[in-house]
Amino acid sequence: MSGLKEAAYLQFKNAGNLGDLLKHQGLLLLIERIIERVNPPKIAYVESHAGAGRFCITKQRIHRIAKDKVQLSPDPMHWQLFDRYNPRIQEGIYLGSFALVFHRLADWQRSDAQREVRGRLWENHPTALERINEFRSELIPTSVS
């Protein structure tokens, strides 16, 4: 990368915005439907542009997330999966899509020893890669190969 200036890592600014909430909720519901209806013995999850997977958010963003969740669906049951796999929002820790999906699939796998989960991330931004490696044990359950 000689001569090229590293692009600023700005993905954290989108963590928890309305579109991000909608994407994460939809992704978790999709995974849930696959598990319930198809019940495959193996699942592979692939994500490109994975980002850091774990973001620190401000108190202002925490409050905004709560308001946006009500705007998208006022029924708390609708957010049950999202809240379960993103439990540290009140502490300012927000997990991205690959971490949410990996944790849901790891729970699914633990419920039956015959199940297998494989995951693949594609991320090439140096800052995102550093953060993934720094928080790897928090982001990627050991049961996900």
Side-chain angles (χ1 to χ4, degrees):
M1 297 187 81
S2 63
L4 294 178
K5 186 176 177 181
E6 180 182 322
Y9 186 70
L10 300 175
Q11 188 176 22
F12 71 92
K13 289 186 175 189
N14 294 322
N17 70 20
L18 188 65
D20 203 41
L21 288 174
L22 186 60
K23 174 186 75 173
H24 291 164
Q25 182 65 345
L27 185 56
L28 283 169
L29 290 173
L30 176 65
I31 294 295
E32 200 64 18
R33 295 305 175 261
I34 291 170
I35 289 169
E36 288 173 358
R37 294 188 179 155
V38 178
N39 194 23
K42 298 178 183 182
I43 292 180
Y45 178 74
V46 178
E47 184 165 327
S48 68
H49 302 83
R54 181 187 186 275
F55 305 92
C56 293
I57 55 175
T58 64
K59 288 190 185 298
Q60 181 181 7
R61 181 61 60 98
I62 293 167
H63 294 301
R64 186 73 223 174
I65 288 171
K67 288 179 181 179
D68 287 347
K69 283 169 56 178
V70 171
Q71 180 182 345
L72 289 169
S73 176
D75 179 3
M77 293 302 287
H78 184 82
W79 292 99
Q80 188 176 12
L81 281 172
F82 177 84
D83 292 340
R84 179 177 177 189
Y85 294 105
N86 219 337
R88 296 181 61 200
I89 288 176
Q90 295 304 315
E91 299 171 36
I93 304 298
Y94 181 86
L95 296 180
S97 58
F98 79 80
L100 295 174
V101 170
F102 283 167
H103 283 277
R104 176 59 189 109
L105 292 176
D107 278 355
W108 170 77
Q109 182 182 27
R110 279 190 286 274
S111 67
D112 183 340
Q114 300 301 313
R115 294 176 176 160
E116 183 180 335
V117 174
R118 293 179 181 244
R120 175 67 110 185
L121 302 176
W122 273 283
E123 178 56 66
N124 65 358
H125 195 284
T127 303
L129 290 171
E130 286 174 22
R131 291 183 183 164
I132 289 169
N133 287 328
E134 180 180 357
F135 297 105
R136 183 178 205 86
S137 64
E138 185 178 335
L139 298 173
I140 304 170
T142 56
S143 62
V144 176
S145 62

